[in-house]
Amino acid sequence: MKAVSIPSGTNLTALYRELVGDYPKFFKMDTLSKLGFLLTEMLLQGTEGRFTPREDRAVLVFSRNGSLANDINYAKRMEDFPSPALFVYTLPNIVAGEISIRNKYEGETSAYVLENYDRQLIESIVREAFQDRITRDAIVAWIDCRSDSEWTAQAWIETK
Amino acid sequence: MTKVYCIGEGLYTPLGSTVDTVLEAVREGKSARLFDRSGYSGASFFEHIALEASRNALKGIEITPGTGFVLSTTKGNVEHIGKEDISLAASAARIAGALGIKTKPIVVSNACISGIAALLQGVRMIRSGEYDKVIVTGAEVHSDFIHSGFDCLKALSPEPCRPFDKDREGLNLGEAAAAIVLSSCHSEPSSCHSEPSSCHSERSEESFEISDGVIRNDANHISGPSRTGEGSYKCLRYVMENVRKEDIAFISVHGTATPYNDEMESVALYRAGLSDVPINALKGNFGHTLGAAGILEAIVSMAALEKGIVLPTKGFHEMGVTYPVNVSALERPASGKLIIKLLSGFGGVNGAMVFRKGGAQ
């Protein structure tokens, strides 16, 4: 099983330029979404038939801190004129939405928050997600973004 | 496949804390969106209401070592941001601990469809055979944080919200908690200790079964609903594989009363061939309760079908969506044996769930 990760503190803009370069929406994403976007690029680049709309692949994102890093960014700007875009990223599932938009995944997307990185529990939840009658595989990611410079980020694909 | 039943339902809302009280309030067209917090002095109002609703749902039900816990919320304790650990995982652990749950809690935070996503997670946990009961609790409290966000999105209505109405101007935010206990057995406690097939009780006549559920993404935009209602339509198409249209008593739609959401839902219902099925929306009574909405609205809808009625859509007067839909402006008799609950949310997520009346096939 192919698995990818992005070390904490990596320069994400540089990584984006190296891997993609032509998806300007990247720059409005929060760190959590940037990490999810880049992890899936690392997983999927060169895959045959990529970007063809499909309903049979789920995107399941796990973490301990959810959108907390961006919640803090938003709370700091609340008193002034916060941008609507910044608020939307204060939800842990937006990263799954960004991955879906990029890859045209029209299947199940969900975000789970767990007390810690518990591979066994994650595997059970992924297996349970395969009860969906159409889902055949899933992009699974543990992206725990503690701040804009400190995170654990890894992703892999699981098949039913 | 293992059948999964709702064996306990609990509410804690500004309109009341028992299912009967809340149902009557909705029938009378009452509305209350925020709690009166005077008299509360604890550390976390969010965890307090989640616990109250959970305890109400658990009345007469025993927590076993194999009981799971799923929490549905978007922002949890965010009102305390900057002052303490507001992580959703920590909240879930405290709530689970207070309830005496021994398994590891799971938080589902899937924007405004969290309630359906959490119930679906609970249903799947029962079907996996690894849990004998799962309590699924949805809760959301109002905060400056959430208000500020929806305000800057220009999604808030200055007036009481008007789902599907031509003069709708946006949503009202609400707060509430709601909980459902799921089990493969119809009932609690003593009659059920072995195979699901051996479960017999008085309650089996009335327990609703969650017979299907699904989540689909629009893959279109993170904050704007799809113009073609793509994800919501796909959800309806999925659940309709196992539903006869004439069996649907009503569809409890998301109906936030934002111009885009309601329009999108009308497109999805039309595409699914469900324009003539009665629909209603409860946001005019409770406001949009975010992570609690799916569970709260499901419980109230089940109680309505039990009484044989389709609840009124408070705030709706004149049709304000492009595609034909059969909005219940006033209470009317329900015919049919199941309810479909619909939700949509930021991140392009949509969900649908089927609640089948006890004994109905």
Side-chain angles (χ1 to χ4, degrees):
Chain A
M1 175 168 49
K2 186 177 173 184
V4 296
S5 61
I6 300 175
S8 187
T10 300
N11 181 335
L12 298 181
T13 305
L15 187 59
Y16 160 80
R17 292 199 198 285
E18 181 195 323
L19 289 173
V20 188
D22 61 351
Y23 196 76
K25 268 190 234 173
F26 174 82
F27 294 102
K28 71 173 177 62
M29 295 179 195
D30 72 330
T31 304
L32 177 63
S33 287
K34 281 179 176 162
L35 287 166
F37 176 86
L38 292 169
L39 283 169
T40 44
E41 288 304 311
M42 292 160 73
L43 265 183
L44 301 167
Q45 279 193 354
T47 314
E48 215 173 302
R50 206 182 157 200
F51 305 127
T52 309
R54 55 189 289 186
E55 196 180 338
D56 60 352
R57 172 168 282 173
V59 181
L60 308 173
V61 180
F62 298 82
S63 70
R64 180 182 189 279
N65 283 297
S67 58
L68 198 64
N70 201 50
D71 292 355
I72 292 164
N73 293 338
Y74 183 82
K76 279 182 194 150
R77 292 223 219 137
M78 237 168 76
E79 301 301 317
D80 321 324
F81 298 99
S83 85
L86 191 62
F87 177 67
V88 171
Y89 288 100
T90 65
L91 290 163
N93 67 308
I94 299 300
V95 53
E98 292 287 12
I99 293 169
S100 289
I101 293 168
R102 166 67 165 169
N103 296 287
K104 300 191 169 62
Y105 292 159
E106 299 175 337
E108 174 166 334
T109 59
S110 225
Y112 297 86
V113 177
L114 308 177
E115 274 186 278
N116 46 45
Y117 176 75
D118 182 335
R119 188 64 183 247
Q120 212 182 336
L121 186 56
I122 292 172
E123 299 283 347
S124 314
I125 294 170
V126 172
R127 249 192 334 273
E128 284 150 12
F130 289 146
Q131 290 177 22
D132 183 285
R133 296 189 292 278
I134 292 174
T135 304
R136 291 168 51 165
D137 60 24
I139 302 232
V140 185
W142 172 267
I143 314 174
D144 193 46
C145 197
R146 295 178 287 279
S147 74
D148 288 328
S149 57
E150 199 195 342
W151 61 73
T152 314
Q154 46 183 301
W156 62 96
I157 295 176
E158 296 219 17
T159 307
K160 193 167 179 170
Chain B
M1 196 183 304
T2 310
K3 290 194 172 188
V4 181
Y5 299 92
C6 303
I7 62 161
E9 295 89 23
L11 294 176
Y12 195 75
T13 84
L15 272 180
S17 307
T18 70
V19 177
D20 287 342
T21 321
V22 172
L23 181 69
E24 285 315 305
V26 173
R27 291 181 78 175
E28 288 163 19
K30 289 185 181 160
S31 166
R33 297 185 292 106
L34 302 174
F35 286 106
D36 173 6
R37 291 201 198 183
S38 57
Y40 176 77
S41 57
S44 166
F45 192 66
F46 166 72
E47 289 165 29
H48 168 68
I49 66 168
L51 264 173
E52 289 291 327
S54 306
R55 287 181 175 135
N56 288 340
L58 282 162
K59 275 183 185 142
I61 298 173
E62 188 195 349
I63 303 258
T64 54
T67 301
F69 178 63
V70 183
L71 177 66
S72 161
T73 185
T74 66
K75 298 306 315 163
N77 273 322
V78 78
E79 62 181 322
H80 302 297
I81 193 165
K83 294 180 216 117
E84 51 202 79
D85 177 8
I86 60 158
S87 97
L88 304 180
S91 276
R94 283 189 293 265
I95 296 164
L99 291 171
I101 304 274
K102 303 289 176 221
T103 56
K104 290 170 183 165
I106 294 168
V107 183
V108 175
S109 191
N110 216 4
C112 298
I113 77 154
S114 295
I116 283 181
L119 283 169
L120 186 55
Q121 177 59 31
V123 166
R124 289 167 173 174
M125 287 159 76
I126 298 285
R127 287 196 173 135
S128 76
E130 288 169 41
Y131 297 82
D132 47 46
K133 265 170 252 164
V134 177
I135 172 153
V136 184
T137 302
E140 206 73 58
V141 293
H142 191 62
S143 61
D144 291 344
F145 187 102
I146 294 176
H147 180 90
S148 146
F150 279 92
D151 193 28
C152 75
L153 283 164
K154 300 195 183 347
L156 298 176
S157 171
E159 307 289 330
C161 76
R162 310 182 67 164
F164 285 80
D165 192 87
K166 75 172 178 44
D167 293 325
R168 68 186 185 279
E169 295 180 275
L171 58 82
N172 307 137
L173 289 165
E175 51 184 3
I180 294 180
V181 185
L182 301 171
S183 168
S184 58
C185 292
H186 297 118
S187 63
E188 261 296 307
S190 50
S191 55
C192 184
H193 281 304
S194 50
E195 293 299 301
S197 58
S198 70
C199 303
H200 297 293
S201 79
E202 290 144 35
R203 216 196 131 104
S204 66
E205 291 304 308
E206 58 193 69
S207 288
F208 273 77
E209 181 201 350
I210 299 184
S211 59
D212 210 356
V214 64
I215 298 167
R216 288 293 180 264
N217 201 294
D218 291 329
N220 173 63
H221 195 277
I222 54 164
S223 58
S226 153
R227 286 187 185 279
T228 56
E230 205 55 44
S232 187
Y233 162 67
K234 282 197 168 66
C235 287
L236 286 166
R237 188 178 65 183
Y238 183 95
V239 297
M240 288 306 291
E241 282 173 16
N242 294 313
V243 164
R244 286 186 311 184
K245 189 174 153 186
E246 60 269 30
D247 287 343
I248 308 172
F250 58 92
I251 298 173
S252 167
V253 294
H254 193 37
T256 59
T258 63
Y260 290 116
N261 174 81
D262 298 3
E263 178 67 17
M264 180 280 290
E265 287 194 287
S266 81
V267 178
L269 288 161
Y270 174 77
R271 287 183 66 193
L274 300 170
S275 290
D276 53 337
V277 174
I279 64 169
N280 72 354
L282 299 172
K283 301 287 193 291
N285 305 100
F286 301 101
H288 191 347
T289 57
L290 309 173
I295 302 167
L296 166 64
E297 293 167 13
I299 291 173
V300 175
S301 297
M302 287 190 277
L305 182 53
E306 206 129 77
K307 281 253 190 306
I309 54 169
V310 183
L311 288 166
T313 301
K314 187 177 170 62
F316 172 82
H317 299 292
E318 204 174 323
M319 191 59 72
V321 290
T322 314
Y323 287 83
V325 278
N326 183 359
V327 182
S328 293
L330 302 172
E331 181 177 311
R332 52 177 154 166
S335 61
K337 27 184 143 166
L338 61 88
I339 303 155
I340 297 176
K341 175 78 207 109
L342 275 186
L343 292 175
S344 294
F346 290 149
V349 283
N350 304 270
M353 186 155 264
V354 180
F355 298 83
R356 220 172 257 268
K357 209 171 159 181
Q361 289 306 308

